[in-house]
Amino acid sequence: MPELPDVEVFRKYLNRTALNKKIDKVEVRDNDILSDHSARSLQMQLKGKKFKATKRRGKYMFVKFDKNAWLVPHFGMTGFLKYYKDEDKETEHARVVFDFTNGYKLAFDNQRKLGKVDIAKGVQEFAEKNDIGPDVLEDDFDLGKFKEIMDKKRGIVKSALMDQKSMSGVGNIYSDEILFRAGIHPASKTERLDNKQVKKIFRALKTVLKKAIEAEVDPQKMPSSYLLPVREEGHKCPECSGKIKSSKFSGRTGYYCGKHQKQLS
Ligand SMILES: [Zn+2]
């Protein structure tokens, strides 16, 4: 599933392309993609409207098209957006296509069909209904708030960072990067972290996510001292002379440096 930086890149893409363009029609090419409304209802609600604003909370993107009406695309594993004019530019797995009166289209492409398109009354309402915690990049998500959340957590630190109910945005890939930067082993027990370590993780959390957005989530555009460009078993650690290792943590394959990331058990 795309994580906060991926969704932020999609959001910015939509802002640059499809915002404030009048919608002529909506083509639903695969009804399975719609959560709890019909293609006809989507078509009727959107025809003649414009995408007026976008927001993001954690891994979710919201596109406002009317008063108290937001489109919520879920990208699944493989979803993305494409804005284009010529038919030959159309993507292979376009499931929903928004046609604008200017002749352009916005396709919601989803190869593995794990994505969905929802409609919500508002960001807050959707977040409450789906139990989505505060967005970790919000300004008011500060060290105090982070510490308060981490103090209540038990179990391994990687899972704590990925728990969307407590704080939203971080998934498998960026939790690895954050812990790599903070020098903490992913399987460290959360209750063993001291204040200094919690602060280090918090700082890494903000820095890593911002850097990933700047790099437009291209691992090769990330700083060379980061884990992402070398996220592969046996690779030399860019921070020390250690080797990159991988392991299963709560069912997810994580990567870390076997040397500079200390485990607190
Ligand atoms: Zn290292």
Side-chain angles (χ1 to χ4, degrees):
M1 185 177 179
E3 302 181 33
L4 185 155
D6 308 273
V7 178
E8 184 63 9
V9 169
F10 294 147
R11 190 183 75 82
K12 287 184 166 174
Y13 177 79
L14 194 150
N15 283 356
R16 283 199 306 273
T17 57
L19 212 61
N20 295 318
K21 312 280 195 299
K22 196 172 175 185
I23 299 165
D24 184 32
K25 60 175 178 168
V26 185
E27 302 168 40
V28 177
R29 305 207 178 147
D30 182 347
N31 281 306
D32 290 346
I33 210 95
L34 304 177
S35 288
D36 49 8
H37 43 267
S38 66
R40 194 176 139 76
S41 141
L42 190 74
Q43 162 80 13
M44 279 169 62
Q45 288 190 67
L46 282 156
K47 191 176 167 60
K49 302 285 186 345
K50 292 173 181 176
F51 293 139
K52 291 176 187 159
T54 59
K55 280 191 179 178
R56 187 188 45 69
R57 173 135 164 183
K59 302 174 180 180
Y60 290 91
M61 173 171 152
F62 301 85
V63 188
K64 187 174 187 176
F65 63 90
D66 211 342
K67 194 168 178 276
N68 301 324
W70 298 73
L71 201 68
V72 192
H74 305 250
F75 295 96
M77 292 295 284
T78 55
F80 65 94
L81 300 171
K82 173 84 184 277
Y83 185 72
Y84 59 98
K85 190 168 189 178
D86 302 325
E87 291 294 331
D88 63 343
K89 296 268 168 58
E90 187 171 294
T91 61
E92 206 178 330
H93 308 283
R95 307 283 181 208
V96 181
V97 179
F98 303 93
D99 288 37
F100 300 100
T101 53
N102 68 355
Y104 279 80
K105 294 164 190 275
L106 180 74
F108 175 54
D109 189 284
N110 213 283
Q111 189 194 347
R112 282 170 63 187
K113 294 194 184 191
L114 294 166
K116 285 273 173 213
V117 175
D118 255 325
I119 290 176
K121 285 187 187 130
V123 177
Q124 191 57 33
E125 186 237 32
F126 184 88
E128 278 167 21
K129 201 168 136 193
N130 294 282
D131 215 354
I132 305 165
D135 182 283
V136 294
L137 268 196
E138 285 288 324
D139 288 342
D140 63 0
F141 190 85
D142 56 13
L143 178 60
K145 203 164 190 173
F146 181 67
K147 208 181 159 312
E148 196 182 298
I149 293 166
M150 294 301 269
D151 280 349
K152 287 185 200 140
K153 288 272 172 204
R154 296 291 175 266
I156 70 169
V157 63
K158 180 173 166 70
S159 301
L161 292 175
M162 288 170 59
D163 177 13
Q164 305 303 301
K165 289 177 185 163
S166 309
M167 51 184 150
S168 64
V170 175
N172 192 39
I173 289 176
Y174 291 100
S175 57
D176 281 353
E177 189 67 61
I178 290 161
L179 294 168
F180 179 83
R181 300 241 58 78
I184 310 250
H185 192 285
S188 294
K189 292 272 187 283
T190 308
E191 55 268 38
R192 292 292 308 275
L193 298 169
D194 62 25
N195 282 342
K196 217 173 133 188
Q197 286 158 332
V198 170
K199 196 172 171 180
K200 261 189 172 175
I201 296 171
F202 174 75
R203 284 198 176 148
L205 168 88
K206 295 275 188 179
T207 313
V208 162
L209 298 177
K210 284 177 188 163
K211 278 272 183 248
I213 293 166
E214 266 173 47
E216 296 192 302
V217 297
D218 179 349
Q220 298 315 318
K221 285 191 200 153
M222 292 293 269
S224 58
S225 60
Y226 273 49
L227 174 65
L228 260 167
V230 298
R231 204 170 180 272
E232 201 176 303
E233 206 162 6
H235 214 289
K236 190 173 168 286
C237 170
E239 284 283 324
C240 73
S241 57
K243 285 258 186 300
I244 303 303
K245 293 184 171 183
S246 84
S247 244
K248 286 259 184 194
F249 301 104
S250 313
R252 305 294 303 272
T253 304
Y255 292 80
Y256 61 99
C257 169
K259 194 173 178 194
H260 86 266
Q261 288 181 258
K262 301 271 182 293
Q263 182 161 353
L264 319 161
S265 52

